[in-house]
Amino acid sequence: MYYVSAVIAAGGSGSRMGMPFNKVYVPLNGLPLLCHTLLVFSNCPLINEIVVVVPQNEIDFCRKTIIEPLGFCKAVKITAGGKERQDSVRCGLRETSSNCDYVVVHDGARPLLTPAVLEAVLQEGFSWGAAVAAVPVKDTIKIADSQGFVIDTPERDKLWSVQTPQVFSKDILTAAHELAERRGVLGTDDAFLVEQMGHRVKIVPGEYENIKVTTPEDLDFAEAVLGRRRG
């Protein structure tokens, strides 16, 4: 059995939500949004520990309002992140246990992840060393030049919208972050860093409901989905 650590990147702002605080603390169906995310990982039998990455000045607040009241059944660590999301994931990665075999990285603001998708990505990660949840792109995508004119239309059936969770062998993810740091490479997700190292990443079908809550409309959608799942 593998030892699996979950790194939850929860350092987002609330600017696009129109709120003066981190959006992961926004109330969602009676609980802070981040609670819904953490409960999925806490209840997953394949996860051994959880590392929550928040801004330095939110560590005590997160512990007192999220971690302690819920009493998670898994070991939960809270650590400070960095300037960019990539820096924060690297900080969380360093806090994982020394005997960790695999790391699953997830956005704290994705509270609609289902246990089925989490387990599917984990299993593919175990098989291939790197796996990500993703959904097929529904819209036609255009590539434009700097002046806003279309220069290409890629084949839609080859395009995927990538989400989290993303699962990696700890050795692979650590090496990818170290290489990116040395080269000064900033990626939009951890899979990009692993790809830059030349390692293949397996796509696992995710769910369109697994959105990253960013706007008030997203919050309304999340409320509706959670209400439907409970009802």
Side-chain angles (χ1 to χ4, degrees), residues 33-34 44 55 107 121 130 135 167 173 175 199 222:
L33 186 153
L34 181 58
C44 178
D107 298 318
V121 181
V135 290
V167 176
L173 186 58
H199 196 285

Side-chain angles (χ1 to χ4, degrees), residues 5 17 35 124-125 132 153 155 183:
S5 303
M17 291 288 294
C35 289
E124 291 297 322
V132 300
T153 303
E155 296 179 45
R183 292 179 173 177

Side-chain angles (χ1 to χ4, degrees), residues 8-179:
I8 309 299
S13 69
S15 58
R16 282 186 283 181
M17 291 288 294
M19 297 180 177
F21 54 86
N22 191 336
K23 63 188 175 184
V24 299
Y25 306 120
V26 171
L28 175 62
N29 273 28
L31 289 173
L33 186 153
L34 181 58
C35 289
H36 295 278
T37 303
L38 294 179
L39 284 169
V40 177
F41 288 85
S42 180
N43 293 332
C44 178
L46 298 176
I47 302 295
N48 298 97
E49 68 172 355
I50 302 170
V51 180
V52 184
V53 188
V54 298
Q56 177 71 54
N57 62 353
E58 294 179 10
I59 290 179
D60 289 342
F61 180 80
C62 183
R63 179 179 294 110
K64 293 175 181 178
T65 61
I66 305 290
I67 307 304
E68 292 178 357
L70 283 183
F72 293 101
C73 61
K74 301 282 170 65
V76 180
K77 302 176 184 177
I78 308 175
T79 191
K83 180 181 179 181
E84 304 289 345
R85 181 186 184 280
Q86 180 173 313
D87 302 322
S88 294
V89 172
R90 186 166 60 249
C91 290
L93 182 58
R94 290 170 178 165
E95 291 297 317
T96 58
S97 297
S98 59
N99 61 330
C100 170
D101 300 302
Y102 286 86
V103 178
V104 50
V105 181
H106 188 64
D107 298 318
R110 288 186 190 268
L112 301 178
L113 172 65
T114 62
V117 169
L118 174 56
E119 184 167 342
V121 181
L122 283 166
Q123 294 295 350
E124 291 297 322
F126 298 159
S127 296
W128 301 101
V132 300
V135 290
V137 169
K138 294 180 178 180
D139 299 319
T140 297
I141 302 298
K142 301 289 185 181
I143 299 175
D145 61 19
S146 59
Q147 295 179 308
F149 292 98
V150 174
I151 57 176
D152 194 17
T153 303
E155 296 179 45
R156 188 170 58 186
D157 59 359
K158 294 182 179 179
L159 298 177
W160 293 77
S161 179
V162 176
Q163 306 172 335
T164 62
Q166 301 188 355
V167 176
F168 309 95
S169 157
K170 183 179 179 179
D171 290 341
I172 291 173
L173 186 58
T174 299
H177 271 272
E178 290 176 349
L179 181 62

